[in-house]
């Protein structure tokens, strides 16, 4: 028999030896998940003894975490902007930057009935959060991956979000209609970075990350095409790579967007272009 505290300490050490960052936090999440409680509730039962039936499945999760399977995949869900989303290898694990993007969009868009498109929706975190926060609007979520769309559908059902449509589409190929807002967190990582990425990132779908030699392939295609799917005065709101702001600005200018503002993320990186098309 081991106590909760001993289990946490032992597990954290195990993970640390295997190169897992924030090993204790990871271990606490795994144990809380196993026991069906919150991380904070673990702190109130440090002395509680754990029997073998409680520990055995935990060992399996620990082994996988030690091998680099992401925590979010083992837990099966991930918090995003105050809601829990199902998370597995069909979609990108949401990044904190994308929560910032959602915040900025919610602050900027007018209230009322809007037609919104989430291009490259992945697990659906961006578009479904907008749909849940703006129930009077309609959100179309599009992705080239049928796996990702299935995950989005499951997340929509989990959240009880109904003001949406899902479209299987390679960028705009199967999209019809015009939108007030097109939001997109498209793949923007240069293909060459695959070899040096953290183990955990190898479990994200490659299709959701990489976009040609400089990471710009899809953005370069998306931006000029988006013009045909915006209502007059419509806005695109994007997340882009840390060194892509000037290239993206140039592309937006060439496509007739004005004004163009590129907001910084919490690290000070020009990350979120918001551009209007009149
Ligand atoms: N921010 C992600 C990363 O660097 C990339 C997300 C994306 O390509 N849209 O891992």
């Amino acid at each position: 028999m081991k106590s909760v505290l001993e289990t946490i300490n032992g597990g954290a050490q195990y993970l640390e030896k295997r190169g897992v960052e924030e090993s204790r936090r990871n271990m606490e999440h795994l144990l809380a998940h196993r026991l069906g409680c919150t991380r904070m509730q673990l702190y109130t039962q440090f002395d509680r003894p754990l029997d073998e039936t409680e520990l055995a499945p935990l060992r399996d999760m620990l082994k996988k975490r030690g091998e680099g399977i992401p925590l979010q995949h083992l837990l099966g869900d991930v918090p995003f902007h105050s809601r829990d989303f199902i998370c597995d290898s069909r979609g990108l694990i949401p990044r904190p930057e994308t929560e910032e993007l959602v915040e900025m969009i919610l602050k900027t868009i007018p209230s009322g009935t809007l037609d919104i498109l989430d291009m490259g929706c992945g697990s659906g975190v961006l578009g479904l959060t907008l749909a849940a926060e703006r129930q009077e609007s309609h959100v179309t979520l599009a992705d080239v991956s049928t796996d990702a769309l299935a995950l989005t559908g499951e997340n929509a059902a989990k959240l009880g979000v109904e003001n949406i449509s899902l479209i299987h589409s390679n960028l705009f190929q199967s999209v019809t209609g015009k939108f007030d807002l097109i939001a997109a967190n498209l793949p923007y990582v240069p293909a060459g970075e695959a070899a040096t990425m953290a183990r955990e990132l190898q479990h994200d779908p490659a299709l959701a990350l990489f976009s040609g030699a400089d990471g710009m392939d899809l953005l370069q295609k998306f931006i000029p095409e988006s013009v045909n799917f915006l209502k007059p005065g419509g806005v695109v709101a994007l997340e882009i790579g840390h060194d892509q702001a000037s290239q993206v600005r140039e592309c937006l200018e060439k496509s007739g967007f004005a004004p163009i503002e590129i907001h910084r993320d919490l690290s000070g990186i020009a990350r979120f272009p918001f551009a209007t098309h009149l």
Side-chain angles (χ1 to χ4, degrees):
M1 284 271 203
K2 272 190 179 172
S3 70
V4 164
L5 184 60
E6 284 165 341
T7 306
I8 292 174
N9 288 340
Q13 250 177 30
Y14 174 92
L15 292 178
E16 192 175 349
K17 269 198 209 131
R18 281 157 189 78
V20 173
E21 281 177 29
E22 299 187 274
S23 53
R24 190 177 168 101
R25 187 180 69 80
N26 272 257
M27 181 57 201
E28 289 175 1
H29 273 296
L30 291 173
L31 182 57
H33 176 80
R34 176 70 204 111
L35 299 180
C37 68
T38 66
R39 253 175 93 205
M40 290 307 139
Q41 284 165 346
L42 291 177
Y43 288 70
T44 62
Q45 43 180 328
F46 273 164
D47 296 331
R48 173 180 154 190
L50 297 171
D51 62 37
E52 190 50 32
T53 53
E54 287 173 303
L55 288 175
L58 185 68
R59 283 201 194 97
D60 184 47
M61 292 217 296
L62 264 179
K63 183 162 175 284
K64 288 186 174 148
R65 186 67 196 93
E67 287 164 357
I69 310 270
L71 179 66
Q72 296 88 338
H73 287 183
L74 294 172
L75 300 179
D77 59 19
V78 63
F80 182 89
H81 197 271
S82 79
R83 291 180 181 80
D84 281 335
F85 287 77
I86 303 163
C87 181
D88 60 33
S89 58
R90 290 174 291 174
L92 195 73
I93 296 173
R95 313 290 203 259
E97 288 83 359
T98 311
E99 288 185 296
E100 285 185 64
L101 175 61
V102 165
E103 258 317 297
M104 284 179 197
I105 291 173
L106 288 171
K107 267 192 207 139
T108 10
I109 58 175
S111 54
T113 309
L114 297 180
D115 288 309
I116 299 172
L117 172 66
D118 175 0
M119 175 55 77
C121 60
S123 61
V125 287
L126 178 53
L128 293 179
T129 304
L130 295 176
E133 295 283 330
R134 293 299 164 93
Q135 305 220 352
E136 66 285 12
S137 292
H138 186 87
V139 182
T140 303
L141 299 101
D143 207 289
V144 69
S145 156
T146 48
D147 276 352
L149 280 177
L151 180 56
T152 293
E154 289 165 30
N155 272 320
K158 178 177 159 77
L159 300 182
V161 165
E162 289 179 348
N163 49 330
I164 57 159
S165 322
L166 306 185
I167 304 187
H168 180 222
S169 182
N170 187 351
L171 284 182
F172 290 99
Q173 241 166 43
S174 308
V175 175
T176 52
K178 304 234 181 203
F179 300 90
D180 300 286
L181 170 75
I182 305 179
N185 173 20
L186 291 168
Y188 56 67
V189 178
E193 285 182 19
T196 55
M197 276 184 347
R199 283 185 305 176
E200 283 74 6
L201 301 189
Q202 324 264 350
H203 294 270
D204 278 324
L207 195 61
L209 282 175
F210 304 113
S211 188
D214 62 357
M216 284 289 301
D217 282 13
L218 279 165
L219 283 163
Q220 299 277 15
K221 243 183 123 194
F222 162 87
I223 290 170
E225 286 179 18
S226 69
V227 169
N228 304 316
F229 296 87
L230 285 169
K231 296 182 194 174
V235 170
V236 294
L238 308 172
E239 178 183 321
I240 61 169
H242 65 97
D243 55 0
Q244 292 170 342
S246 60
Q247 276 169 283
V248 169
R249 181 183 288 280
E250 194 181 314
C251 186
L252 286 163
E253 278 167 0
K254 274 200 196 133
S255 303
F257 283 90
I260 300 163
E261 268 197 85
I262 306 192
H263 302 290
R264 292 181 187 276
D265 65 19
L266 289 173
S267 319
I269 293 168
R271 177 74 76 186
F272 309 113
F274 280 61
T276 305
H277 203 272
L278 294 174

